[in-house]
Amino acid sequence: QVQLVESGGGLVQPGGSLRLSCAASVNTFSINAMGWYRQSPGKQRELVAIITLGGRRNYAESVKGRFTISRENGKNMVYLQMNSLKPEDTAVYYCNAPPSPATAWGDVWGQGTQVTVSS
């Protein structure tokens, strides 16, 4: 069973930066796409960024140019570098591994890490 553990959230002022980390319990070479999602109170969970094993990236329009997703397969890690943070980026951020043979075709989520952008 794949497990994902996020870290790196916290309180930051507008314009600041944070780097989120996601540690996977399996070799991430076995997982094609991995992503970051976020959910704020009263809103649906939304895709922030996704990266494939080959390094192809897609971002939500709201974070393009500010956030960067990356992965280190040798360390079983996925990262989300967040720059120029805005109050509207405040949310719980979740790491995700979508259904695949590596996840036994289950949709795997981490427990989430809180990001609060406020002065």
Side-chain angles (χ1 to χ4, degrees):
Q1 179 72 22
V2 177
Q3 292 183 328
L4 303 173
V5 178
E6 303 96 335
S7 61
L11 173 64
V12 63
Q13 292 187 342
S17 298
L18 281 175
R19 187 194 195 203
L20 304 184
S21 299
C22 171
S25 61
V26 297
N27 189 333
T28 51
F29 275 114
S30 64
I31 305 175
N32 183 20
M34 295 193 71
W36 286 95
Y37 288 71
R38 66 186 182 188
Q39 187 169 21
S40 49
K43 294 186 178 180
Q44 289 189 333
R45 192 171 296 189
E46 62 174 355
L47 175 67
V48 176
I50 192 165
I51 184 170
T52 67
L53 189 59
R56 184 171 181 175
R57 299 167 172 85
N58 281 303
Y59 296 94
E61 285 295 325
S62 60
V63 306
K64 279 184 179 178
R66 300 188 297 122
F67 290 11
T68 302
I69 189 171
S70 60
R71 59 193 290 173
E72 277 191 281
N73 294 315
K75 295 184 178 180
N76 303 332
M77 298 291 293
V78 180
Y79 305 100
L80 185 69
Q81 177 66 43
M82 306 186 295
N83 299 327
S84 302
L85 283 161
K86 304 176 181 180
E88 51 263 44
D89 294 318
T90 295
V92 178
Y93 284 71
Y94 298 90
C95 184
N96 171 256
S100 73
T103 68
W105 298 107
D107 202 8
V108 180
W109 297 91
Q111 83 288 352
T113 185
Q114 176 71 47
V115 172
T116 302
V117 185
S118 175
S119 55

